[in-house]
Amino acid sequence: LQHTWPDNTVPAITDQTVILWALNRKVGETFTIKAEDGRVVRLRLVAGLANSVLQGSLVIGQHALQDLFPSVSGSRVLLVDAPTEKRAEAGDQLRAALRDTGLELVPCADRLAQFAMVENTYLAIFLALGGLALLLGSGGLGLVLVRNVVDRRAELALFRAVGFGQRGLVLMLFAEHAWLFLRGLLVGAVAGLVAVLPAITTPGSNPALGELSLVLGAVLANGLLWIWIAAHRALRTPLIPALRGE
């Protein structure tokens, strides 16, 4: 932050989320701001922070801050580090010593939770919509299997007549539709991975790969269960009339 360039560009550091989504920039790129006196100043992003309590803030050197904003007389935000077992005691002492300045102490965990509140709300909404889509898709998958069995009643009746048992037909239907379901799940997983790849590869990101694996596993188990149930239900209908028609 103390580095200077011949063109008077000011080095700056900010949160990686701000760089990517608010500034639409990358580390090493520049952008302009207006100083207190109205002059336009160029800032260069020299580093990006991981998800931190400094989200939404630009960090520049002390000399640059005094030059660009001379009316700022002192620090307004302080980062206080204290041992975990003495955190409450340190907070009480700070409030007592700085009671005339209107001190507000916010734990870093609470601060980060506030930043993530909007993002978590969106994630919860998408999770609910995804769950609804999963239920509808699973039910639709079962209906497709039942409709397929109805259209193939004559063929299945012929299989029964030549010696195929109920269990063999169920396994055959299950294998056919499970393979179709697995291919669809694979295509969807690859498409989803491509969609979120920029977010996963962003420095400072913390993708929940474990939770993602659990969700994919749940989708797989749910789909296969519906296929198995639908195959059993569909073959309970009498096939003798269909065989007579064949």
Side-chain angles (χ1 to χ4, degrees):
L1 293 179
Q2 305 305 323
H3 184 75
T4 57
W5 285 279
D7 57 356
N8 294 324
T9 300
V10 178
I13 296 175
T14 187
D15 194 275
Q16 187 67 32
T17 304
V18 177
I19 295 177
L20 181 62
W21 302 109
L23 299 177
N24 295 321
R25 296 288 192 277
K26 297 179 180 179
V27 174
E29 296 184 352
T30 61
F31 62 99
T32 59
I33 63 170
K34 280 190 176 182
E36 192 174 298
D37 55 6
R39 57 193 168 105
V40 178
V41 181
R42 295 180 62 188
L43 271 64
R44 176 169 296 165
L45 298 169
V46 295
L49 300 173
N51 191 24
S52 67
V53 295
L54 298 178
Q55 187 177 135
S57 302
L58 280 173
V59 181
I60 61 176
Q62 181 72 20
H63 295 294
L65 179 64
Q66 293 174 350
D67 178 54
L68 300 179
F69 303 97
S71 65
V72 178
S73 58
S75 301
R76 298 178 182 176
V77 178
L78 302 175
L79 292 177
V80 182
D81 187 17
T84 304
E85 63 276 5
K86 296 184 178 180
R87 189 168 298 171
E89 180 183 352
D92 294 338
Q93 292 179 358
L94 286 171
R95 291 188 185 92
L98 301 175
R99 58 182 178 272
D100 296 334
T101 61
L103 176 67
E104 179 185 5
L105 288 176
V106 180
C108 289
D110 295 347
R111 184 81 168 177
L112 288 173
Q114 292 173 4
F115 288 145
M117 186 178 300
V118 176
E119 180 180 353
N120 290 338
T121 301
Y122 277 109
L123 290 176
I125 293 174
F126 285 126
L127 182 61
L129 293 177
L132 179 60
L134 174 61
L135 292 176
L136 294 177
S138 300
L141 184 64
L143 291 177
V144 168
L145 192 149
V146 172
R147 178 59 186 271
N148 187 19
V149 171
V150 170
D151 293 339
R152 297 169 58 187
R153 289 181 62 194
E155 175 189 347
L156 296 175
L158 184 59
F159 276 128
R160 292 290 300 276
V162 297
F164 280 86
Q166 178 86 4
R167 181 177 179 81
L169 293 179
V170 170
L171 290 176
M172 182 185 70
L173 290 175
F174 177 80
E176 290 179 2
H177 293 83
W179 171 238
L180 179 65
F181 169 70
L182 290 175
R183 285 189 295 175
L185 182 62
L186 179 61
V187 171
V190 172
L193 179 61
V194 172
V196 301
L197 191 60
I200 294 177
T201 56
T202 299
S205 64
N206 186 23
L209 298 180
E211 296 179 2
L212 179 60
S213 301
L214 290 177
V215 171
L216 289 177
V219 172
L220 176 62
N222 185 66
L224 294 179
L225 177 63
W226 275 95
I227 293 174
W228 184 260
I229 293 175
H232 268 279
R233 295 283 183 179
L235 289 176
R236 287 185 177 181
T237 57
L239 300 179
I240 298 301
L243 181 61
R244 289 173 178 170
E246 182 71 10

